[in-house]
Each structure stands twice: as C-alpha cells, then as structure tokens.
Amino acid sequence: MRFPSLLEIGDDQRKVVELPFRGSHVVTGAPGGGKTVTAVYRAWALATVGREVVLLTRYNLLHQYIAQLAPELTGSPRVTTTARWLNALWREKFGSDPPRSAEDERRYDWVEMQRSCILQGVTVTASLVVDEGQNLPPGFYRLCRLLKADVTVFADENQPIGTEESTLSEVCRILGAPAAPLELRHDHRSSREIAVLASEFRMESRTRFLLPKRSGNLPVVMRTHSLDGLLTGIAQYFNAHQDRSIGIICRSGRMIREIQGGLASRGLAKKTQAYVFDDRYRNSMDFSTHPIRIVSTASVKGLEFDSVFVPDLDSYTEDPTGVEARLRFLVLCTRAREDLHFAHRGTDEPPITAAIPEALLARHHG
C-alpha cells in the first residue's frame, strides 16, 4: 500500500494543509475524502515550521497504519493514540495516571481532569492534529482548550462508532474554531459503484458529497452454504488478484481467528494477518506485508483496502433503519477501493441489505 505524495493530493486537501498554523480548525469530509492523508500532511507542515506536533487517533490499529505508511513524513511529528498521549501527559504533569470515571473505569473523568489542570495551571506547547475526531467526547476538547493547545480536528459525523462522540458543532464551539468546518467533498478512494451503495446508508448531512468518476465492479451479496466454501472462494480470489490488498472485516474476535485458521489451512498463512485488540498474539499489523488483513468492525476506522469481504452478514440483526446500523454499514462500504463482497449463510438475505435494489448490489448464490 502506497501513501500518496504531496503532489498527488487534491486542491481541497492542500488548502487544509496550508491553514494558519495558529488557532484551532475543524475539517470534515466524506469517507474516502482523504482525511487521514490530509491529517498526516497537516502534521508534517506544522513540524516543518518548527512546531512540536502530536498526531492523535483514538484507534490503535489506525495509529499503526499511519505510522507505517508515512514514516518519512511522521519522523518529526509524534504519532500516537489519544489514550497514550493523555496517560503520558498526566504522568509528566501530575506523576499519576489520569482520573477515571466512578461509573465506568474505562472512561476518563474529564471534569476532574479539567479541574486539576486549572488548579495547577497546566498547559502544553504541542500542536495537536486529531484524526477521526468525531469519536472523542466533548470533554477531550474542553481539556484541549484549557491546555491552550492549537488543534486541527478531522471528523465526519456520518462515521461515529462507540458511545462517546462529539458533533462537529460541539467541536467547533468548544475549541473556538470557525463555525463552518472546512469540507473535503471528493471521494478519492472508492469506485463510483461502491460510493453509490455507501450513500444508501448515509444520514442526512449539510455537506454535499461528490461521487467519484472512476467506475468499477458492482458490489455483491453472496449466499454461501458454509464458511469453508466462502474461504475457498476468498483464497481463489486472492490467487487471481495477488497485487491487491484484501480486508476481511468481521464482527467478532472468534470469527477473525476462525477465518485466519481457515486461510492458513489453504496455504495462505504467510499472506494473512489478523488484528484483535485484546489478543497479545494479534495486536499488531504490518501494512507492508501479508496483503490479506482480517480486522474487526471496531478497529477498521480510517483503514482502506483494494477489496473488502464482510463474511458474517447474518450477524447484523439490528433494525436496518436505525442510525447505528446504517452508519456501521457506511463505514464497511467505504473501506473498499475496487471490490466489495458481503456474504451470508441464511436462507434469506439479512434486512440490512435486502432492500437495496439489484442495480446497486448484485446477488450471487454459491
């Protein structure tokens, strides 16, 4: 996978890179609009003028992806996760870990953190660039404002995953950024057919996203009789497209491990790698090798693949009209550049895709 050069990015992306280096800015854009690429170049531009820069993302796998695909650019900016940055900051300033919520120890106590910074007069000198900023809570941005940090946030309200999110208007208001975020409206990733399907799951937005001109294959829903049959099909697909990266996006860690084992038994062990957040044997991924990458829906934000397989369509049993279900499928669709394949084993196609017309989503029966 190749990171685009500065000369290859779009004019809309270049305008974001060249924003004033002082103050806070919010940037929004379509999935595939190049937010992560632009975030990297924004961090690089800040570093080239001598600013201390930290490029933050909430997701560990996205952190690995950025750090590996742009090493020559990210040598000056520090690339890390939000949690690691907060933990390091708190240990430096207070000699302890950040306080946690009494109701849920997995969450920070943002109010107590703000109080501590006010009492101790804590500030930071680094400029922060935040990717996938919609998935961070308002408390994080209030803390950044108290720390007097200059922040550039890249966010898309059509892509929240999790229970702590911020709206674009909240981020702008809290940081004191212009009320109208800059927009990356062009899809630089997907084919037109994939982008049209993805738009079926998009929520209403004030931003008018532009469909790509590049045409490709129609996305497909496959009915398979067994996981073995599907894995054989994926192996055959890889053997016919060995120049492509393949993302297999699963809902559970169990399915990830099962698929990895199945592909290994078909002679693809050296071509396959898996990521499971809480599995010490599968907690890192090399994006320069092993072109078949098996990941979870919870870890796939910001990533992209030439071809995407969703092998467990039957597990998506939520109300297909619900916001969470639609946004999850928007994320799934927009990870793919060239080909997109959904697979189910039940007799009936799951409701989440059943209402999509065949002009947008082809049906194949194995």
Side-chain angles (χ1 to χ4, degrees), residues 29 31 59 132 134-135 156-162 165-167 197-205 209 249 251 297-298 300-302 316 318-335 342 352:
Y59 302 102
E132 300 295 347
Q134 73 279 356
N135 292 128
D156 179 7
E157 286 182 317
N158 270 287
Q159 296 192 71
I161 293 179
E165 294 97 16
S166 297
T167 65
L197 175 63
S199 67
E200 293 289 303
F201 300 105
R202 192 187 305 281
M203 306 304 295
E204 290 187 11
S205 173
F209 298 114
I249 306 174
R251 194 126 194 217
T297 54
V300 78
K301 290 302 299 297
Y316 294 88
E318 303 92 333
D319 177 2
T321 64
V323 172
E324 185 176 351
R326 290 175 64 185
L327 294 183
R328 181 177 287 112
F329 264 74
L330 175 65
V331 172
L332 289 175
C333 292
T334 54
R335 299 311 94 196
F342 297 96
I352 190 70

Side-chain angles (χ1 to χ4, degrees), residues 64-105:
Q64 295 179 32
Y65 176 75
I66 294 172
Q68 291 177 39
L69 289 189
E72 69 280 6
L73 294 179
T74 57
S76 295
R78 178 185 170 198
V79 184
T80 189
T81 63
T82 311
R84 289 172 185 161
W85 179 73
L86 286 169
N87 291 344
L89 174 68
W90 230 253
R91 290 174 190 133
E92 176 190 348
K93 302 295 185 180
F94 300 100
S96 65
D97 290 333
R100 298 283 179 169
S101 168
E103 289 77 24
D104 186 348
E105 290 188 354

Side-chain angles (χ1 to χ4, degrees), residues 21 41-53 73 75-77:
F21 292 157
Y41 278 112
R42 173 66 175 172
W44 170 79
L46 287 164
T48 60
V49 296
R51 301 293 296 273
E52 178 189 355
V53 186
L73 294 179
S76 295

Side-chain angles (χ1 to χ4, degrees), residues 11 103 105 146 149 160 209-210 221 282 286 294 315 333 341 364:
D11 291 340
E103 289 77 24
E105 290 188 354
L146 282 172
F209 298 114
L210 303 177
V221 170
R282 298 177 176 85
D286 184 345
I294 314 167
S315 69
C333 292
H341 308 263
H364 291 172

Side-chain angles (χ1 to χ4, degrees), residues 113-127:
M113 293 169 75
Q114 294 164 39
R115 175 179 173 275
S116 297
C117 289
I118 292 172
L119 291 176
Q120 298 296 324
V122 173
T123 60
V124 298
T125 58
S127 295

Side-chain angles (χ1 to χ4, degrees), residues 35-292:
K35 292 187 295 298
T36 296
V37 168
T38 311
V40 170
Y41 278 112
R42 173 66 175 172
W44 170 79
L46 287 164
T48 60
V49 296
R51 301 293 296 273
E52 178 189 355
V53 186
V54 183
L55 175 53
L56 297 173
T57 179
R58 178 174 176 175
Y59 302 102
N60 183 51
L61 190 55
L62 181 56
H63 158 237
Q64 295 179 32
Y65 176 75
I66 294 172
Q68 291 177 39
L69 289 189
E72 69 280 6
L73 294 179
T74 57
S76 295
R78 178 185 170 198
V79 184
T80 189
T81 63
T82 311
R84 289 172 185 161
W85 179 73
L86 286 169
N87 291 344
L89 174 68
W90 230 253
R91 290 174 190 133
E92 176 190 348
K93 302 295 185 180
F94 300 100
S96 65
D97 290 333
R100 298 283 179 169
S101 168
E103 289 77 24
D104 186 348
E105 290 188 354
R106 294 171 298 178
R107 299 184 181 183
Y108 294 107
D109 186 337
W110 297 109
V111 173
E112 180 59 29
M113 293 169 75
Q114 294 164 39
R115 175 179 173 275
S116 297
C117 289
I118 292 172
L119 291 176
Q120 298 296 324
V122 173
T123 60
V124 298
T125 58
S127 295
L128 305 180
V129 178
V130 182
D131 194 21
E132 300 295 347
Q134 73 279 356
N135 292 128
L136 293 170
F140 170 79
Y141 296 108
R142 294 190 185 100
L143 182 65
C144 290
R145 187 75 180 270
L146 282 172
L147 293 171
K148 302 186 184 304
D150 293 329
V151 189
T152 305
V153 181
F154 293 79
D156 179 7
E157 286 182 317
N158 270 287
Q159 296 192 71
I161 293 179
T163 57
E164 293 186 288
E165 294 97 16
S166 297
T167 65
L168 293 176
S169 59
E170 282 178 319
V171 177
C172 292
R173 175 177 51 80
I174 293 169
L175 292 178
L182 279 80
E183 298 177 352
L184 301 174
R185 298 195 297 150
H186 296 270
D187 185 341
H188 299 285
R189 177 187 300 151
S190 302
S191 67
R192 186 178 183 88
E193 288 77 6
I194 292 172
V196 169
L197 175 63
S199 67
E200 293 289 303
F201 300 105
R202 192 187 305 281
M203 306 304 295
E204 290 187 11
S205 173
R206 63 184 179 183
T207 301
R208 181 175 174 267
F209 298 114
L210 303 177
L211 291 173
K213 296 180 180 179
R214 180 174 62 86
S215 187
N217 296 322
L218 202 63
V220 173
V221 170
M222 304 175 289
R223 181 187 170 194
T224 63
H225 297 295
S226 66
L227 181 60
D228 280 345
L230 175 61
L231 293 179
T232 297
I234 292 175
Q236 292 171 345
Y237 181 93
F238 171 74
N239 288 328
H241 302 86
Q242 294 193 29
D243 58 331
R244 292 189 179 183
S245 63
I246 296 177
I248 305 175
I249 306 174
C250 307
R251 194 126 194 217
S252 69
R254 179 194 60 78
M255 177 64 78
I256 290 175
R257 296 179 183 95
E258 193 171 350
I259 288 178
Q260 185 181 28
L263 291 176
S265 70
R266 288 165 172 78
L268 294 176
K270 294 183 178 180
K271 301 293 185 180
T272 303
Q273 57 186 323
Y275 179 87
V276 180
F277 176 74
D278 57 353
D279 184 336
R280 64 192 180 103
Y281 299 106
R282 298 177 176 85
N283 62 6
S284 65
M285 188 165 279
D286 184 345
F287 288 94
S288 65
T289 63
H290 299 77
I292 304 174

